[in-house]
Amino acid sequence: MRIQKIIGMVLVAGLLTCGIVYAQETQDDDQADIGGTPPRLSFVDGKVSFWRTGAPDWVEAEINTPLAPGDQLYSGESANLEVQIDQRSFVRAGASTQIGLENLESNYTQFKVTAGYVSLDIRDIDPEKTVEVDAPNAALIINHPGYYRIDVDGERTSVTVRRSGEATITPSAGDSFQILSDEEATLDGAGTPQIGTYQAPEMDQWDQWGLSRTDELLNSTSARYVSAGMYGAGDLDEAGNWRQDSEYGNVWVPADTPEGWAPYSSGSWINDPVYGTTWVDSEPWGWAPYHYGRWVSLDGQWAWCPGPPVRRPVYAPALVVFLGNQDSIERGDGESVIAWVPLGWGEPLVPWWGPERFRRPWWGGWGGPRFTEVEHTGRYRNMALRNGIVMVHERHFGQGPVRSLHGGGINRGLRPMQADSVVSRIHENVLPTEKRGIRPPAAVLQRSVVATRAPRSMRGENSSGPAGYAPHLRLALFDQPDRQIRRQAGIIPP
């Protein structure tokens, strides 16, 4: 009888444990509704330019910039760029290529290409997700893993599919058709293009480079230590070392950091169109450690902790608590400062983006312990570390690369403050840099594309362009179910 009682207690304990785990995962699912992970500019080689609604002109593209609908990129001669769109999916553009992100929804991503050549290396894709690439002669619809390349040269567009891929091509006139792996389709001429299908040619060096790069990123050592779905792990291998700590588990320590360096000190604050105040780090490895996990100090060295693995990592535009002297900030006397400190082990974030119901201590995507005492004491662990607090004059916050202030007791009286009182100060700053970039040729910017869905900017969002430029409405729009042309419309940046 006693044995049966013990067994019963064990079963009840097991059920309670499962209930706790399930409740935690349900809560994380709810918290994940605050937003998805945006595509990121994950690699730049050569002269690459960037344009975003609200910017006066094209600027130099900054690695680690999160992308939003309406953003445009241009790679100059001998340049390459890479955009990560999912855990195992990458879009790459070669020399003299203009590519834009037109739409971004939970199950739909839309790009346009008006010149150059682009590849989509999609190693995995959710069956309910669709990726669309719009070109001057046709729209390409992808919902299968594979390797896809689109070349645009004037009025000629070619599409090549490899590695078991399959896609639907919708031309500017005529019926849609399928293109399978190891096939190439060409479309010549605007309006009613001449269509041909052939066996795919041999891959060139650029194709091989892209495939090799994806292999390296997905098979990196660092990928073993972070949760599946956490972007940027492949960038950590060559920039630091992993250690095992009894308290924090697996931690990553950056190498070759300058004297006095601290997290969130080498980069810029920008106003992201989706997430508001967002940190853009200037280091090639500066994505994962600033949008996931926590920072701690080990033997006087800064170390990044991804935390225990979670089923669903959640992106944050930054993981900091803002500090300030509220009185001086309200006076706007020119001597006030805005400061921030990286969140430490188990400390909560109070989001400044998303629905109002999330404006509370939040551990979205965090699998480690949750320390609640900081809510009452305001004593964040990293505030006590040397150079733990990064601060700037209020007038410099969100105005290009951070120029941190040090010494002189300037941090006296700083205390945690509501993020809303900080983030409103960089409303007009949408770019991480003001360095002028190369502009695409006018003919490229004015080239229309074929699409199956109107770009987001045509739905009343991101519609304003720089002064002196008017949008050109020349996009051929199709109805998704029957692929029939409904009307003519479109938009391009300056």
Side-chain angles (χ1 to χ4, degrees), residues 149-165:
R149 175 163 168 170
I150 301 95
D151 289 69
V152 177
D153 184 7
E155 293 188 354
R156 178 185 175 89
T157 298
S158 63
V159 178
T160 309
V161 178
R162 308 181 194 276
R163 298 172 71 94
S164 301

Side-chain angles (χ1 to χ4, degrees), residues 398-478:
Q399 303 299 315
V402 165
R403 293 174 286 176
S404 182
L405 302 171
H406 297 287
I410 195 171
N411 61 339
R412 292 178 184 173
L414 292 177
R415 62 180 184 269
M417 58 187 301
Q418 291 292 326
D420 288 346
S421 63
V422 175
V423 299
S424 61
R425 286 168 163 73
I426 60 171
H427 176 71
E428 296 180 356
N429 182 30
V430 298
L431 301 171
T433 181
E434 295 181 353
K435 296 179 181 178
R436 186 66 59 86
I438 56 175
R439 299 181 63 208
V444 169
L445 290 174
Q446 295 172 3
R447 188 169 293 154
S448 61
V449 295
V450 175
T452 66
R453 191 181 301 189
R456 185 173 175 181
S457 57
M458 292 176 60
R459 302 175 186 176
E461 303 177 52
N462 299 334
S463 58
S464 61
Y469 295 100
H472 293 71
L473 304 181
R474 299 176 57 199
L475 182 74
L477 181 66
F478 290 77

Side-chain angles (χ1 to χ4, degrees), residues 189-214:
T192 305
Q194 296 293 317
I195 300 173
T197 56
Y198 313 91
Q199 181 177 350
E202 293 291 325
M203 288 191 295
D204 60 18
Q205 280 189 320
W206 190 78
D207 292 314
Q208 294 170 354
W209 163 77
L211 290 169
S212 176
R213 177 169 166 79
T214 301

